């Protein structure tokens, strides 16, 4: 009796897997997903222009946020992905010769990305790894400076130093995988690397160049329409 129950359970699971793969990730499908993403900049900072202490650099800390997106399956193997997310808030801190001064300010970012993806296997596969590539526009807004920034750049209470970061276009590469949970529901995990630079500007007239090149880890649950 136990053997028959075990055999029946295995058969039921096999049937579920087979049926879920048969309906998912096929040409014409639209998958809407939601989840979370963490962005961790891999910063290489230049020096703040004169007048400043030699080796004055910055670092930008990681940030996490709720995310989502829409994926359209152009063919069984080629898809177009538009990730969506709420704005990220990053701490900007001192590095190099001013590493000990702490937080210099904050900046919000809203990456706007469009990816073309190639998915391995066929439309009926339960697990499909994929690679992607595309363009990203890093939109930086609402910068906020701290008193520490004024302290190292000569700002005062009446005339504090302010900062801004220039929005730029970059390229993004992606590696990920998706698992079909049912015929309509799926889960995905991906890692992206974006190649992007920015220029920070202070109200004192000083500027600093920084390569950000963030690595992002994204998890999502999707529903197929």
């Amino acid at each position: 009796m136990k053997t028959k129950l075990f055999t029946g359970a295995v058969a039921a699971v096999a049937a579920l897997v087979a049926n879920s793969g048969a309906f998912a990730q096929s040409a014409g499908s639209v998958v809407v997903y939601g989840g979370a993403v963490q962005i961790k900049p891999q910063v290489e900072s230049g020096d703040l222009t004169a007048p400043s202490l030699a080796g004055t650099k910055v670092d930008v800390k990681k940030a996490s946020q709720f995310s989502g997106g829409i994926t359209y399956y152009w063919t069984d193997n080629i898809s177009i992905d538009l990730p969506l997310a709420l704005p990220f808030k990053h701490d900007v801190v001192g590095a190099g010769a001013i590493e000990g001064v702490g937080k210099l300010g904050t900046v919000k970012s809203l990456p706007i990305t469009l990816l073309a993806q190639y998915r391995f296997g066929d439309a009926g596969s339960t697990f499909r790894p994929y690679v992607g590539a595309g363009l990203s526009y890093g939109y930086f807004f609402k910068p906020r400076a701290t008193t520490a920034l004024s302290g190292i750049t000569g700002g005062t209470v009446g005339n504090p130093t302010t900062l801004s970061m220039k929005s730029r276009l970059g390229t993004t590469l992606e590696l990920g995988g998706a698992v079909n949970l049912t015929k309509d529901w799926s889960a995905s995990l991906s890692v992206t690397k974006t190649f992007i630079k920015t220029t920070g500007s202070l109200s004192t007239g000083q500027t600093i160049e920084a390569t950000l090149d963030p690595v992002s880890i994204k998890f999502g649950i999707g529903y197929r329409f």
Side-chain angles (χ1 to χ4, degrees):
M1 183 64 177
K2 290 183 178 180
T3 302
K4 289 182 179 180
L5 287 174
F6 177 77
T7 303
V10 170
V13 171
L16 177 62
V17 170
N19 288 332
S20 66
F23 294 95
Q25 301 188 24
S26 58
S29 296
V30 176
V31 175
V32 177
Y33 60 89
V37 61
Q38 182 183 84
I39 296 180
K40 186 175 182 180
Q42 311 291 302
V43 180
E44 291 186 11
S45 172
D47 290 351
L48 183 66
T49 56
S52 65
L53 183 65
T56 298
K57 302 178 184 292
V58 296
D59 193 10
V60 181
K61 296 301 184 179
K62 64 183 178 182
S64 301
Q65 190 53 275
F66 294 109
S67 67
I70 303 171
T71 304
Y72 171 71
Y73 287 81
W74 188 25
T75 70
D76 286 354
N77 296 96
I78 299 175
S79 56
I80 305 298
D81 184 53
L82 177 64
L84 303 169
L86 296 173
F88 297 84
K89 186 177 181 180
H90 299 271
D91 287 343
V92 180
V93 301
I98 60 167
E99 186 172 357
V101 303
K103 186 164 71 173
L104 302 176
T106 61
V107 65
K108 290 188 176 182
S109 70
L110 186 61
I112 303 169
T113 302
L114 185 64
L115 295 165
Q117 300 168 325
Y118 182 84
R119 297 175 183 262
F120 298 91
D122 55 47
S125 301
T126 301
F127 173 71
R128 299 188 73 184
Y130 59 87
V131 294
L135 295 176
S136 293
Y137 182 72
Y139 174 55
F140 303 104
F141 63 105
K142 289 189 176 179
R144 297 286 186 269
T146 65
T147 55
L149 181 61
S150 289
I152 64 173
T153 56
T156 64
V157 175
N159 185 30
T161 302
T162 60
L163 65 90
S164 64
M165 291 180 67
K166 188 172 183 179
S167 301
R168 290 276 179 82
L169 185 68
T171 57
T172 295
L173 299 178
E174 180 181 37
L175 178 64
V179 177
N180 294 310
L181 304 175
T182 70
K183 68 183 184 68
D184 292 318
W185 291 95
S186 60
S188 62
L189 180 68
S190 67
V191 178
T192 61
K193 172 80 170 183
T194 299
F195 301 90
I196 191 169
K197 298 180 180 180
T198 189
T199 301
S201 300
L202 305 183
S203 55
T204 57
Q206 297 160 282
T207 61
I208 188 167
E209 302 288 336
T211 298
L212 301 179
D213 290 359
V215 172
S216 301
I217 301 176
K218 180 177 65 176
F219 172 76
I221 298 292
Y223 181 80
R224 182 183 71 90
F225 289 89

